[in-house]
Amino acid sequence: MPPVDADLLRRARQWLAQDPDPDTRAELSGLLEDDDLPALRERFQAKLEFGTAGLRGELGAGPNRMNRVTVMRAAAGLAGVLGPGKHVVIGYDARHKSDVFARDTAAVLTGAGLHVSLLPRPLPTPVLAFAVRQLGADAGVTVTASHNPPRDNGYKVYWGDGSQIVPPVDREISAAIDAAGRVDQLPLDGPGTLTELGEDIVDDYIDAVTALPLGEARDLRVAYTPLHGVGSGTLTGAFLAAGFETPMAVEEQRNPDPDFPTVAFPNPEEPGAMDLAVALAAKLGSDLILANDPDADRCAVGVPLPDGTCRMLTGDEVGGLLAEHVITLTTGDRLVATTIVSSTLLSKIAQAHGVRYGETLTGFKWIMKAGEGLVFGYEEAIGYSVGSDAGLPVHDKDGIGAALTVAAVAAAAKRDGRTLLDLLDDQAVRYGLHATSQLSFRVADLSLISGAMDRLRAAPPSRLGDHAVEAVDDLSRGDGGLPPTEGLRFRLSDGGRVVVRPSGTEPKLKCYLEVVVPVAGEVSQARASAARDLDALKADLTTALEL
């Protein structure tokens, strides 16, 4: 047997010897008995890397999978960075093994002398982010894979400010994970303490989000889906506490189900994911359609149309509406923030209302670092954090608070005989129509992405679509005053822009496109012009990238 395969089998047997999970032990034993070297290589010749998004991957045996050994090692790494006596809050969703991974994390942390508060049941990620600050904890962990496929799970770490970790903390935890020994030799369940929290932490969260700037209007009929996730109970409680009518949930998707049986992919942005909610809205004559992803940190918004279909709003459109609503109902020195790949509309809204504007790298971990006085932050991937004069109740994206605030905006529009679509038209007239779209290229060979980026740097296009490229920002050099990150931003004539960057979580090159069209006549004409413009941008980018 080649030495590399002998080493592979040795490492697989060592893993098997420490694995406490009968399911993954059976899986790995079967692979060893069958001498299934390709499957073993796939599991053992790479590992899940711990980064600013924590861990995320497919369930199964080995270091390149999510399993109890991987999770216990992650907990040991976190314990090593924090040290004994620190306090960690742990939450989890309803995916396969989430509750087990949460309990394992608690056992490792208490075994290392830390104090743990465990959320009472599967709950939305924003409840965990809220609880870290509410309880004055030093860190938080939530076990979730958000909107990933059913076979995935993940592990996300928050710091004491209630926001996701950023460098260098992620690197410190990663190094401590690598230094962790066998998990069957870790001390478990003491000398630290474990407190199982009650429902009062959920009540505290609901109190906080219902104190958001919601206005007075409440007459609204909502069709809702949690997409088999954990959002329904908390969202319903928040709506009732705020004085809204109970949202009518899609019955087939109301309760948590880790297999997500009614959707091909549990992401409200994916084609078909909203079909049942749209049908329910048509049946009920709803004014608004809302959806959470499975861990309820994101919120999708749709407006039912008279023909029984629905106009789904983009994250940038919802971001613009929420921003103007929050700014109007708050006072003082305020900051609103978004990312370099989101629409530039937010900067125009901030300028018009005399509030500060911040722009960050992609990811909510960076939005939360935008500065003091932050009352609203959003990213184009349907993530929003809404606050008030007193600040943000959740220092992360919050699909429950966002849904509640969108409902307040829609109820005020309904009171005036209008819809969210009318409000979007108002903004287009006031600020110009800011139309956004995306173009993605998935590759099997990551060198294709680096090659495409090298070509764009060496010979940037002088025109894209009908626009001259007026400036090129190399984000890897920190152009624009941001920390260096791989990417290029092309500033276009007429106020548009294109950002090209590799995905941080998938083998993809992602392009974020925006055009700005003045509205001189009908908004519908401007929208048609913008759609043609975006198509032309996509065609030219596809040619330039050679992917």
Side-chain angles (χ1 to χ4, degrees):
M1 178 176 292
V4 64
D5 288 337
D7 181 64
L8 174 73
L9 294 175
R10 177 186 60 79
R11 288 187 290 115
R13 293 189 183 101
Q14 287 178 342
W15 188 279
L16 180 63
Q18 64 178 312
D19 189 350
D21 191 326
D23 295 332
T24 46
R25 285 180 60 83
E27 173 193 343
L28 187 51
S29 295
L31 296 177
L32 287 167
E33 289 170 6
D34 295 341
D35 269 340
D36 191 340
L37 293 178
L40 290 169
R41 291 189 192 105
E42 206 279 327
R43 288 160 173 78
F44 283 88
Q45 287 187 339
K47 67 172 184 173
L48 297 181
E49 295 292 344
F50 187 94
T52 53
L55 296 165
R56 192 175 295 185
E58 185 178 344
L59 292 164
N64 202 30
R65 293 285 190 271
M66 282 296 298
N67 51 65
R68 293 181 66 184
V69 177
T70 298
V71 164
M72 293 172 76
R73 287 174 57 83
L78 177 60
V81 170
L82 286 170
K86 296 299 177 67
H87 179 196
V88 180
V89 187
I90 300 174
Y92 56 100
D93 67 9
R95 283 179 176 265
H96 292 295
K97 301 284 186 180
S98 286
D99 57 341
V100 176
F101 294 164
R103 291 281 178 183
D104 282 339
T105 299
V108 172
L109 293 179
T110 56
L114 285 81
H115 305 295
V116 171
S117 295
L118 182 67
L119 293 187
R121 54 186 169 85
L123 284 164
T125 291
V127 176
L128 179 280
F130 168 83
V132 171
R133 294 176 67 232
Q134 178 74 0
L135 299 176
D138 299 289
V141 170
T142 186
V143 181
T144 179
S146 189
H147 51 277
N148 275 38
R151 283 293 304 166
D152 287 3
N153 213 326
Y155 196 86
K156 189 183 295 186
V157 177
Y158 291 76
W159 221 229
D161 62 353
S163 64
Q164 298 175 47
I165 57 171
V166 296
V169 173
D170 57 337
R171 294 191 294 270
E172 294 170 3
I173 296 174
S174 182
I177 292 171
D178 291 341
R182 292 170 58 105
V183 301
D184 58 348
Q185 297 175 359
L186 292 173
L188 303 178
D189 297 320
T193 59
L194 171 62
T195 301
E196 300 201 19
L197 299 172
E199 290 297 317
D200 54 330
I201 191 65
V202 184
D203 296 338
D204 289 346
Y205 166 79
I206 289 175
D207 288 344
V209 296
T210 52
L212 293 172
L214 301 177
E216 302 299 326
R218 293 292 184 271
D219 179 22
L220 194 73
R221 177 170 291 182
V222 176
Y224 168 70
T225 176
L227 289 180
H228 300 293
V230 296
S232 184
T234 307
L235 180 136
T236 299
F239 268 66
L240 290 176
F244 284 96
E245 179 182 314
T246 302
M248 298 302 294
V250 173
E251 190 59 39
E252 302 94 320
Q253 298 172 335
R254 178 197 302 270
N255 296 320
D257 188 327
D259 294 319
F260 306 104
T262 68
V263 291
F265 201 86
N267 180 349
E269 294 183 291
E270 288 292 320
M274 297 296 296
D275 287 355
L276 291 176
V278 173
L280 178 63
K283 178 182 176 181
L284 298 176
S286 299
D287 306 302
L288 184 69
I289 300 173
L290 296 171
N292 289 131
D293 63 341
D295 72 327
D297 65 350
R298 302 196 307 155
C299 176
V301 180
V303 177
L305 301 177
D307 63 359
T309 61
C310 168
R311 158 84 148 81
M312 294 301 299
L313 275 57
T314 68
D316 286 317
E317 289 174 330
V318 175
L321 293 178
L322 287 178
E324 199 140 33
H325 171 85
V326 171
I327 291 171
T328 301
L329 293 183
T330 56
T331 60
D333 180 26
R334 289 151 293 159
L335 170 69
V336 295
T338 191
T339 71
I340 56 172
V341 301
S342 301
S343 173
T344 59
L345 173 61
L346 185 60
S347 65
K348 314 284 180 56
I349 293 172
Q351 183 179 24
H353 289 274
V355 305
R356 291 179 293 122
Y357 168 75
E359 191 171 85
T360 75
L361 298 181
T362 56
F364 247 85
K365 59 185 178 290
W366 297 114
I367 293 174
M368 291 300 104
K369 308 294 185 187
E372 294 295 323
L374 186 64
V375 293
F376 178 71
Y378 95 93
E379 59 184 0
E380 48 75 38
I382 63 173
Y384 319 92
S385 182
V386 181
S388 67
D389 296 341
L392 300 169
V394 178
H395 283 192
D396 193 25
K397 53 185 176 291
D398 178 4
I400 306 296
L404 198 61
T405 312
V406 169
V409 177
K414 180 183 178 183
R415 178 194 58 201
D416 299 335
R418 313 182 80 215
T419 72
L420 297 183
L421 302 183
D422 297 309
L423 301 187
L424 290 175
D425 285 351
D426 290 348
Q427 287 190 330
V429 171
R430 190 177 307 127
Y431 305 112
L433 175 65
H434 291 63
T436 58
S437 188
Q438 284 191 35
L439 182 65
S440 295
F441 300 90
R442 182 179 289 273
V443 299
D445 180 359
L446 289 176
S447 69
L448 296 174
I449 290 179
S450 58
M453 295 298 295
D454 290 343
R455 286 191 296 275
L456 281 182
R457 281 193 173 91
S462 60
R463 294 191 67 84
L464 287 171
D466 295 329
H467 303 276
V469 176
E470 296 185 336
V472 181
D473 297 329
D474 189 340
L475 302 176
S476 70
R477 299 188 310 226
D479 289 0
L482 296 171
T485 185
E486 176 59 359
L488 294 167
R489 176 167 54 189
F490 301 90
R491 299 181 186 269
L492 309 180
S493 58
D494 301 321
R497 61 101 183 102
V498 171
V499 178
V500 182
R501 60 180 290 272
S503 169
T505 57
E506 298 176 275
K508 278 184 178 181
L509 186 67
K510 303 183 78 170
C511 308
Y512 302 83
L513 295 67
E514 179 176 39
V515 296
V516 182
V517 180
V519 179
E522 294 293 325
V523 178
S524 59
Q525 294 175 344
R527 293 193 187 282
S529 174
R532 292 190 296 270
D533 212 353
L534 288 170
D535 286 342
L537 284 180
K538 290 179 181 179
D540 283 0
L541 266 177
T542 300
T543 300
L545 290 168
E546 300 178 23
L547 289 175

